[in-house]
Amino acid sequence: HACLVLFGPHWGAAVRLGLMNRTKGDEEEYWNSSKFKAFTFDDEDDELSQLKESKRAVNSLRDFVDDDDDDDLERVSWSGEPVGSISWSIKETAGNSGSTHEGREQLKSRNSFSYAQLPKPTSTYSLSSFFRGRTRPGSFQSLSDALSDTPAKSYAPELGRPKGEYRDYSNEWSPSDTVRRLRKGKVCSLERFRSLQDKLQLLEEAVSMHDGNVITAVLIFLKRTLSKEILFRELEVRQVALRHFIHFLKEIGDQKLLLDLFRFLDRTEELALSQYREHLNIQDPEKRKEFLKTCIGLPFSAEDSAHIQDHYTLLERQIIIEANDRHLESAGQTEIFRKHPRKASILNMPLVTTLFYSCFYHYTEPEGTFSSPINLKKTFKIPDKQYVLTALAARAKLRAWHDVDALFTTKNWLGYTKKRAPIGFHRVVEILHKNSAPVQILQEYVNLVEDVDTKLNLATKFKCHDVVIDTCRDLKDRQQLLAYRSKVDKGSAEEEKIDTILSSSQIRWKN
Amino acid sequence: MAAHLSYGRVNLNVLREAVRRELREFLDKCAGSKAIVWDEYLTGPFGLIAQYSLLKEHEVEKMFTLKGSRLPAADVKNIIFFVRPRLELMDVIAENVLSEDRRGPARDFHILFVPRRSLLCEQRLKDLGVLGSFIHREEYSLDLIPFDGDLLSMESEGAFKECYLEGDQTSLYHAAKGLMTLQALYGTIPQIFGKGECARQVANMMIRMKREFTGSQNSIFPVFDNLLLLDRNVDLLTPLATQLTYEGLIDEIYGIQNSYVKLPPEKFAPKKQGEGGKDLPTEAKKLQLNSAEELYAEIRDKNFNAVGSVLSKKAKIISAAFEERHNAKTVGEIKQFVSQLPHMQAARGSLANHTSIAELIKDVTTSEDFFDKLTVEQEFMSGIDTDKVNNYIEDCIAQKHPLIKVLRLVCLQSVCNSGLKQKVLDYYKREILQTYGYEHILTLYNLEKAGLLKPQTGGRNNYPTIRKTLRLWMDDVNEQNPTDISYVYSGYAPLSVRLAQLLSRPGWRSIEEVLRILPGPHFEERQPLPTGLQKKRQPGENRVTLIFFLGGVTFAEIAALRFLSQLEDGGTEYVIATTKLMNGSSWIEALMERPS
């Protein structure tokens, strides 16, 4: 039923369609033929027309119903925020300074709202009471007061605090009582736990409660009162606490202690990555480069080591290129920089971007220079495919068709030339088209596409009439040629060419 | 106000009312006029439980977003900061407090931490010398926020990273607390099932918390029959695939935040004809998406390929309804017609919006690249060519498609192959680092640590066994009238939801072997109920299962669960809770390393 085919073949079919093809034919064919056909919309009853239909219906109703008087619908400002929502109100109430007179009037009337008239809803139960036991009005003593070096401060009476709370304070609490009180947000001094055994018991109690906030509280206390060696040693055998401690050090940015800890734990890869991560926070290119240099010797995996080395080398290279090119550009003597001023600095750009840059500005330089593309290719062992793609994109952007041509021309020892593209000519065509290459150029490369279906598809897509016509002729496909005739301009040279071929008696058409 | 929350089997408005009440209580503690300074991230979630009017009733006169330097002028007695417990926000608050003009009228400062006070933050405030300036420092346990009649979320962005990368259990603790709140309101849940390390932890915390609160016996008749706790890392595959339901695609393409979506305004032309064309709005069109909107409730969980026909049917019905006016002859008939007008207008507005959204989505889904991507995803999920470098992924890197897209695909391949061959992994890594920058080595490391992108160990690929046993890939999928959950991904049945489905029938005993392959323990706990509260189910009455996704859930998974709830002989209805509503992109993004 036509109605079931909505957006073309349904998606589940996509892969099965592919699977069938794949088992039958080769991969290339699958990639290049089946998928295009899935997107032809010639079914009258397809989704597009259905959507159009509902749109039409909706539009026709607009004439009939006036939009202004739908009072009982929720009022919504254009941005869709219901009038009165929180984010809407922030904009409205905050915009008072320097806003229009109208706006201020609005605010005035808003503020003259009489609160006294509103009944305050009485509470039956609150969520917090489930956990805190009874509600504790005005309890605002902080946990951290308890941890300060001068715990005496927390005894100072504060306004609005019921007397009973002070009496609660006792030196007799066990580590487990203390942790339970901490968890309920009550005041507890940890200072009186002096022995290592007490401190560790405190930590274990906290961990068994699973409350990250309390675990962190105890860890802060331990960090302050234990020597690094003892702290690390004890954390090593308490994995949960250890993970919280590492997360805590990351949060507060105590990089030094974190690195010490990783070193102690012999977690070398984390140590290396954690140190390397620091470079993200260094803005100055020279300093960043120097920092990266210190990362090279860190205990990365073999694979990552090579990447870190490359990162350093790349930045070093970029600094040189940047200084040189900035100078060339400002001197105004070099044509390429005059014609195509640089949009941004090359510093900290990825390798492939750097290669593109160098293919764009330094294509013809000899291999010996730092900025030459060939030099980059060798230094960073850029694969052929990647190199050709990038060079093609750069040269096509400059419309340097001669360079493009050279990129794919190989000479054998007899001096014959042959066109070869490690990325496949269909990709070459796509990239050239993206850079708006003229039809003559496109045509040349479409012709080099080996697979006939792909070639025909691309030629049709990019209006390379000659290629389409010649291919149809070679395929002896009269029907397709006839169909194509309706797509070319009336009275054009293409039409004439098609007519000549169609009337030729030399061809034995297959249909 | 939030009627849609009470449509479901469990009335989630009860929860909403409870959290609103607590908010009012806090506001009344700070007597006198107030200004609220918002951590911008919180305004979204808060919007789901309160409107400005509620705050205004409690003398909130001004609201600002939290920003550096000075606070804007406001003639109020109290300044209240509503913030998440994050260190960088404490620095901003301190700046605000310190630059307060001493000559002006004295104002009282307060902080409300959402969802919890943090010692670390208070320590920072103390270090910055402003801790003493605050009169009230409290917490607002907004752990689980009701999003819809069957959906709750903690909206905790960092939960997955904290749990699975840092091993910090704080968000699990909040999840357990949220579950205790639910039990306080809806009764003790008699049976707890779980799969995964974090699930085990949360169950342990719940049991411990229950023991500690034994003083007050919960006397509420239980609404939920079961709780199923699921670790996200039990099913790393599902979020990586592109969701193909209507809501899922809206989220994939435009991102749904706190049930709002921002859309390009062009398709939402000015309402009156004749005005059009001149000044098209440039600001994004913002729409709220939830089941309060009848049409949206009907189409959101459908495969996108089935949405068009519903929209066109609706258009015909509405046109016909408006045509009725010609038939209205008597005064009574006209009255009748007019009384229906507001409803018809709302329906028409809703239809117009969704037709426009469907058009926007269709532009994407009919693109060649979308189709290519989908083909590759489906190949991986059905187990084809997962062990070699994929051409399409290579092309995406060469053309510098967004890094997140590339990472999603590479991770999907890795998960569908139980890890990549070292050679393949090294190749992808190298290509990614050279094209997007070496610093992403840090992101790749995070993905590896989370198990998303890793080398195959032991040379064994377990995925085919999992796929076959759990029937994750279905060849005959009906997108229009689905018979199986696999419709949400047009062929792939989300692993997480399959686990839930099999638990309810015939039980996990049938899949012991696969459960052992998947990470983490699986378990069952009972929470005994007093005899008076034990439920006697009527014949044919469905069980209610609360399913909690620790580490995030996607809209497609939610759709699949709703599909199961609606099955006539399904036997189970689901209420869904999670640490975060997410999709593959927001997930990967949260795992990426950025300068601090």
Side-chain angles (χ1 to χ4, degrees), chain A residues 134-140 160-162 165, chain B residues 29 136 138:
Chain A
R134 297 284 109 212
T135 42
R136 9 163 217 119
S139 142
F140 43 81
R161 219 167 144 234
E165 294 245 326
Chain B
K29 272 186 199 168
H136 288 296
E138 305 235 340

Side-chain angles (χ1 to χ4, degrees), chain A residues 4 6-7 10-12 14-16 19 22 30 35-36 39 47-48 50-51 53-55 57-58 61-65 67-68 70 72-73 78-82 84 86 89-90 93-94 96 115 118 121 123-128 131-132 140-145 147-148 183 208-213 217 243-244 247-248 250-251 270 273 276-277 281 304 307 310-311 350-353 380-381 385-386 389 427, chain B residues 19 21-22 24-25 38 43 50 52 56-57 61-63 116-120 122 135 137 139 162 166-170 173 177 180-181 185 201 205 208 212 244 260 268 271-273 281 283 286 304-305 308-309 315-316 318-319 322 325 342 345 348 352 355-356 359 362 366 368 371-372 374-375 378-379 384-385 394-395 398 400 429-430 433-439 441 445 473 475 479-480 490 593-594 596:
Chain A
L4 286 177
L6 289 165
F7 289 139
H10 72 104
W11 286 319
V15 66
R16 281 182 288 283
L19 294 183
R22 171 116 12 150
Y30 160 61
K35 64 186 175 194
F36 294 115
F39 286 94
E47 192 67 10
L48 195 62
Q50 286 189 345
L51 284 178
E53 188 188 319
S54 35
K55 190 116 205 173
V58 166
L61 295 176
R62 278 182 184 147
D63 302 333
F64 170 63
V65 203
D67 264 303
D68 290 338
D70 38 6
D72 41 348
L73 296 176
W78 166 253
S79 66
E81 210 86 63
I86 285 175
S89 316
I90 290 177
T93 63
N96 58 347
Y115 302 103
L118 283 164
S123 143
T124 50
Y125 57 92
S126 83
L127 288 178
S128 49
F131 302 104
R132 294 173 192 147
F140 43 81
Q141 195 66 41
S142 112
L143 298 173
S144 53
D145 288 339
L147 300 172
S148 67
R183 196 169 135 209
S208 73
M209 293 279 181
H210 301 284
D211 183 344
N213 194 28
R243 288 198 294 265
H244 276 264
H247 190 202
F248 160 68
K250 282 184 185 167
E251 284 273 294
E270 272 167 286
L273 285 163
Y276 168 72
R277 192 186 184 289
N281 299 321
D304 287 352
H307 294 312
D310 280 353
H311 191 174
L351 175 62
V352 170
T353 313
F380 296 96
K381 301 191 190 71
K385 241 172 159 177
Q386 183 69 271
L389 265 174
R427 289 292 304 283
Chain B
V19 291
R21 205 167 286 128
E22 196 184 3
R24 291 195 185 102
E25 277 176 14
W38 287 93
T43 59
Y52 180 50
K56 215 160 85 171
E57 284 165 22
E61 292 179 5
K62 293 273 164 69
M63 307 221 281
R116 283 223 73 196
R117 271 171 84 165
S118 138
L119 176 73
L120 197 53
E122 293 184 3
I135 297 184
R137 290 192 301 270
E139 68 186 25
E162 276 171 31
E166 317 279 4
D168 182 318
Q169 302 176 343
T170 307
Y173 180 76
K177 274 192 67 182
M180 297 310 283
T181 307
L185 294 169
Q201 298 280 359
M205 291 180 204
R208 183 174 180 127
E212 281 169 16
L244 296 178
Y260 282 92
F268 303 87
K271 289 191 175 173
K272 290 216 181 63
Q273 285 176 335
E283 204 184 330
K286 203 169 169 187
F304 185 59
N305 278 343
S309 58
K316 280 177 197 147
I318 291 177
S319 297
F322 276 104
R325 71 184 189 276
Q345 280 172 246
R348 186 220 40 178
T355 306
S356 301
E359 280 180 333
K362 210 182 92 13
T366 50
E368 206 179 292
F371 189 84
D372 289 352
L374 206 62
T375 309
Q378 298 198 343
E379 282 180 343
I384 297 162
D385 288 348
E394 227 185 339
D395 279 0
K400 217 169 176 186
K429 258 180 127 170
R430 191 184 172 86
L433 296 178
Q434 291 191 339
T435 307
Y436 298 93
Y438 291 106
E439 65 275 15
I441 214 167
Y445 177 76
W473 185 259
D475 269 319
E479 290 164 347
Q480 305 295 321
S490 290
E593 285 285 343
R594 301 238 150 64
S596 53

Side-chain angles (χ1 to χ4, degrees), chain B residues 52-321:
Chain B
Y52 180 50
S53 57
L54 179 143
L55 304 175
K56 215 160 85 171
E57 284 165 22
H58 296 265
E59 299 180 72
V60 175
E61 292 179 5
K62 293 273 164 69
M63 307 221 281
F64 310 110
T65 359
L66 184 61
K67 274 193 218 100
S69 76
R70 288 178 87 116
L71 285 169
D75 183 17
V76 289
K77 185 165 178 301
N78 300 285
I79 304 275
I80 314 176
F81 294 92
F82 277 31
V83 288
R84 287 166 297 163
R86 293 175 67 134
L87 286 174
E88 66 273 17
L89 299 179
M90 298 307 111
D91 297 349
V92 181
I93 291 177
E95 215 180 317
N96 280 180
V97 172
L98 290 171
S99 55
E100 174 77 352
D101 193 347
R102 302 276 164 218
R103 287 160 302 175
R107 301 194 286 191
D108 293 344
F109 290 105
H110 317 274
I111 294 190
L112 188 63
F113 287 109
V114 185
R116 283 223 73 196
R117 271 171 84 165
S118 138
L119 176 73
L120 197 53
C121 286
E122 293 184 3
Q123 182 78 49
R124 173 70 67 102
L125 290 174
K126 192 183 176 69
D127 293 345
L128 295 164
V130 294
L131 190 72
S133 313
F134 296 96
I135 297 184
H136 288 296
R137 290 192 301 270
E138 305 235 340
E139 68 186 25
Y140 181 50
S141 2
L142 191 61
D143 288 318
L144 283 167
I145 305 157
F147 271 67
D148 220 315
D150 58 356
L151 183 58
L152 300 155
S153 172
M154 291 164 60
E155 283 310 283
S156 159
E157 282 180 304
F160 181 85
K161 192 176 179 189
E162 276 171 31
C163 293
Y164 299 99
L165 236 59
E166 317 279 4
D168 182 318
Q169 302 176 343
T170 307
S171 49
L172 298 182
Y173 180 76
H174 291 172
K177 274 192 67 182
L179 283 163
M180 297 310 283
T181 307
L182 283 184
Q183 292 189 95
L185 294 169
Y186 300 101
T188 302
I189 307 175
Q191 247 181 327
I192 304 174
F193 297 94
K195 171 71 186 164
E197 210 59 67
C198 293
R200 183 67 263 183
Q201 298 280 359
V202 170
N204 289 349
M205 291 180 204
M206 287 173 69
I207 291 161
R208 183 174 180 127
M209 285 175 187
K210 186 163 190 284
R211 226 179 21 239
E212 281 169 16
F213 297 122
T214 39
S216 53
Q217 184 62 254
N218 189 338
S219 58
I220 296 170
F221 198 82
V223 176
F224 297 105
D225 297 283
N226 303 312
L227 166 65
L228 170 57
L229 295 161
L230 269 186
D231 274 35
R232 184 72 270 175
N233 81 340
V234 170
D235 172 15
L236 293 171
L237 195 167
T238 302
L240 293 170
T242 304
Q243 308 172 69
L244 296 178
T245 57
Y246 182 52
E247 189 166 42
L249 275 166
I250 297 176
D251 188 41
E252 294 277 349
I253 299 167
Y254 296 107
I256 300 174
Q257 299 287 342
N258 301 300
S259 78
Y260 282 92
V261 66
K262 281 185 186 162
L263 298 159
E266 300 81 25
K267 293 257 182 186
F268 303 87
K271 289 191 175 173
K272 290 216 181 63
Q273 285 176 335
E275 275 177 20
K278 274 177 212 159
D279 34 23
L280 275 174
T282 45
E283 204 184 330
K285 170 87 172 168
K286 203 169 169 187
L287 284 175
Q288 189 167 23
L289 301 172
N290 62 35
S291 61
E293 189 185 351
E294 204 180 307
L295 176 62
Y296 188 63
E298 185 179 340
I299 57 177
R300 65 172 168 194
D301 298 321
K302 289 190 183 302
N303 186 295
F304 185 59
N305 278 343
V307 166
S309 58
V310 177
L311 290 179
S312 94
K313 257 179 240 149
K314 288 280 161 188
K316 280 177 197 147
I317 293 169
I318 291 177
S319 297

